[in-house]
Amino acid sequence: MKKAKAALAASLMAPAVALAFESVDTLPWPSMGRFPAYPAEASRPTTFWLQGGLMHDDNILRLEANEQSDTVGRLGGGIRHEQRVIGRQRVVLEARADYYDFQDLSSLDHLAYAGFADWRWEVGNKLSGSVLLGTEERLADLSETRSATKTMVTLHRASADGGYLITPNLRLRAGAGWSSSERDDRADPETDATSLVIGADYLTPLGNRVGLEARNTDGEAPADADVFGTLVSNDYTERELSLVVGYRLGTRLGVDGRVGRTKRSYDELPSRNFDDNTWRVGVEWFPANKTSLVLTYYNEPRSIIDVSASHVVVKGFSFGPSWAPTQKVVLSARVLREDQKFAGDPAAVLAGTTLRDETVDALRLAVGWEPQRFWHVGLAMDRGERTSNISGRGYEFTTVMANVAWRY
C-alpha cells in the first residue's frame, strides 16, 4: 500500500508538460520500492544526494521559426532529514540546489533552489496535522518568455492543517494556506493567494477514504494595463466544492482524486469569470509485480506566474507504463497532452481579440540503471510540439538528457 501511495503522489505532483530534466528526475527506481517485486531499502533519518547531468535541446527557446539549439549542464545536490523530536511530534526538512549552465545562451545560466520545513504534529490518538513552510526559485518557463533574457520566478508558501477523529471511521479536518509568487521582470511582481478549507472524510480500516471538501481562495495580483492603457484589477475569489477519494486495493491498485465544481469571480471584468466542473484524478495499477501503468487526468483553472493571463483553464492527461525487468534496470514511457485556454487574459478581453488556445503534445522515453548501490544513471528523450490559434506561437522540440546521481 505504501508503494502505491508514494508512486501515485509523485505522479500527481508532477506537471504533465515540463522542461529540463524531469524525465530522468521522475524515474520510478526499483530500489525505492516502486514495484511489488523489489522491496525498498531501509529508510534513514537523513538522506542526501549529489548529481550531474547534460541536456541537449534542439529548440531551447520554443520558437516556431529561427530555432536555436543548446546544451545545458546541471550540477547540484540536496538533503532530506526526518526526525521524531518530542513524543509523537516529527519534523521533516528538505533542501536542494542545482546550477544550470547553458553552453551558448550563457545569459540564462542560473542557480535554482527549493526547500521546505514540515512539522507533523499529533495530540493523543485523535488529533493530528501539519505546519509547512516552503520556498523555491527557478527560471521562468522558456516556452512563455521565448527569450534569452533570464527571468527568475520566486515562490513562497505556508500552510497549517489539522484533523480530528470523531469516530474511528469519521474525520473532520480544516486548514489554511498562503502562497506568494514573484517575477523579477515585472514592476509590480507579487501575486498572493490565501485559502481556507474544511472537509469531512469517511475512513476504512484499510486506510481508504471518501469525503467532501470545501475550499475558498482569495487572490491578489498586480494590475495589468490593456492596449489602451487602462489598469485592470486581477483580484479574485475562488470557491470549490469537491468529492475527494483515496482508494487502495492492496499493493496492486491506487486511486487518488477530487471531482467537483469550481467558481472563480474577478473584481473587475466579470467576462473572465470561470464556473465549471473540475477534477484531478490519478490511478496507478500494477498488472504484474514488475510493471506499472500510471494515468493522471485533470481539468482545472490555474494561476501561473509564468504567463500573462490571470488564469489558464488547463485540461490534460498523462499515461504510460513502467517496467523493471531487474532490480537494477527500469524503463518508462509517457504520452502527454495538455489543452490550455487563456481565458483570464484581461488585455485580450478588453481589446476583444482572440483568446489564446493552445495544445501541447509530448512523448517521453526514459531508462534508468543502478550499476551499484547508491548510484543512479538516467537517460531520456522528450519529443513534443505545441499548436496555437495565435500565429507564431507553435513549436516543435526534441530533447535528450543524461543524469548521474549518488544518493545515500
Side-chain angles (χ1 to χ4, degrees):
M1 182 171 66
K2 292 182 179 178
K3 297 174 185 176
K5 185 175 182 180
L8 185 57
S11 70
L12 287 174
M13 292 177 65
V17 180
L19 300 176
F21 291 84
E22 187 178 356
S23 293
V24 291
D25 289 345
T26 56
L27 274 165
W29 298 100
S31 62
M32 295 183 178
R34 297 294 295 274
F35 297 90
Y38 311 113
E41 294 186 355
S43 61
R44 301 180 180 86
T46 303
T47 303
F48 58 90
W49 64 93
L50 298 171
Q51 64 182 2
L54 287 174
M55 176 184 72
H56 181 78
D57 194 305
D58 68 355
N59 188 9
I60 193 73
L61 297 179
R62 300 296 185 258
L63 302 176
E64 189 171 69
N66 301 318
E67 298 177 359
Q68 181 172 354
S69 64
D70 205 349
T71 299
V72 183
R74 178 178 74 169
L75 184 64
I79 185 170
R80 175 187 173 90
H81 178 71
E82 181 172 350
Q83 181 175 334
R84 191 178 299 275
V85 285
I86 301 175
R88 300 180 180 180
Q89 317 309 310
R90 287 185 300 150
V91 173
V92 180
L93 305 172
E94 184 169 328
R96 66 174 298 159
D98 297 282
Y99 186 77
Y100 293 86
D101 183 84
F102 290 69
Q103 182 178 22
D104 296 326
L105 301 177
S106 58
S107 60
L108 295 175
D109 294 351
H110 68 282
L111 177 70
Y113 63 84
F116 73 85
D118 186 7
W119 170 34
R120 301 174 183 178
W121 57 268
E122 293 185 37
V123 179
N125 296 323
K126 296 183 177 181
L127 185 62
S128 63
S130 71
V131 178
L132 184 144
L133 297 173
T135 188
E136 175 186 357
E137 184 168 277
R138 58 171 174 81
L139 187 69
D141 187 352
L142 290 177
S143 68
E144 290 299 320
T145 62
R146 312 180 83 196
S147 167
T149 301
K150 181 170 68 176
T151 301
M152 300 301 293
V153 171
T154 304
L155 310 171
H156 305 290
R157 61 187 175 121
S159 65
D161 62 73
Y164 183 76
L165 280 172
I166 296 180
T167 72
N169 299 112
L170 180 61
R171 184 174 190 255
L172 299 181
R173 54 188 171 84
W178 167 84
S179 64
S180 176
S181 55
E182 302 177 9
R183 278 183 57 153
D184 61 10
D185 64 339
R186 292 180 178 173
D188 190 4
E190 187 169 325
T191 300
D192 297 326
T194 57
S195 62
L196 297 173
V197 59
I198 58 173
D201 301 305
Y202 176 78
L203 309 173
T204 74
L206 297 178
N208 298 322
R209 68 185 180 100
V210 60
L212 287 175
E213 180 178 286
R215 182 183 302 271
N216 184 89
T217 302
D218 292 312
E220 298 180 0
D224 281 345
D226 74 351
V227 292
F228 307 110
T230 303
L231 292 176
V232 177
S233 170
N234 287 319
D235 294 353
Y236 67 88
T237 298
E238 183 175 289
R239 294 182 173 89
E240 178 183 310
L241 180 63
S242 299
L243 173 72
V244 294
V245 176
Y247 177 77
R248 303 288 180 274
L249 182 60
T251 59
R252 294 292 183 178
L253 179 66
V255 179
D256 274 285
R258 60 194 310 112
V259 179
R261 187 80 179 185
T262 302
K263 181 177 181 179
R264 175 180 288 219
S265 303
Y266 286 93
D267 291 352
E268 297 185 16
L269 286 184
S271 55
R272 294 183 290 167
N273 291 354
F274 175 87
D275 186 2
D276 204 350
N277 298 324
T278 54
W279 60 84
R280 173 170 280 272
V281 179
V283 180
E284 183 163 41
W285 175 43
F286 292 91
N289 287 339
K290 301 179 180 181
T291 304
S292 72
L293 293 172
V294 176
L295 169 67
T296 305
Y297 183 43
Y298 51 90
N299 179 56
E300 57 198 11
R302 296 181 190 168
S303 296
I304 307 174
I305 191 68
D306 301 78
V307 304
S308 59
S310 51
H311 80 265
V312 182
V313 181
V314 182
K315 183 177 182 179
F317 74 89
S318 67
F319 175 75
S322 296
W323 178 46
T326 74
Q327 196 167 10
K328 293 182 176 293
V329 176
V330 61
L331 297 93
S332 178
R334 292 289 183 272
V335 176
L336 316 160
R337 163 164 282 206
E338 191 165 275
D339 296 319
Q340 305 168 346
K341 300 183 185 300
F342 293 72
D345 188 347
V349 171
L350 278 169
T353 56
T354 302
L355 293 172
R356 283 169 55 187
D357 189 346
E358 300 177 342
T359 300
V360 181
D361 292 284
L363 171 66
R364 290 179 172 175
L365 301 173
V367 57
W369 176 42
E370 300 181 68
Q372 46 185 313
R373 194 181 182 195
F374 306 135
W375 288 93
H376 293 175
V377 180
L379 302 172
M381 182 190 75
D382 293 355
R383 172 66 181 168
E385 66 174 347
R386 179 170 74 186
T387 58
S388 177
N389 64 338
I390 304 298
S391 177
R393 287 197 52 85
Y395 61 74
E396 295 182 352
F397 72 93
T398 300
T399 305
V400 292
M401 67 199 75
N403 194 71
V404 177
W406 182 72
R407 302 176 182 272
Y408 178 80

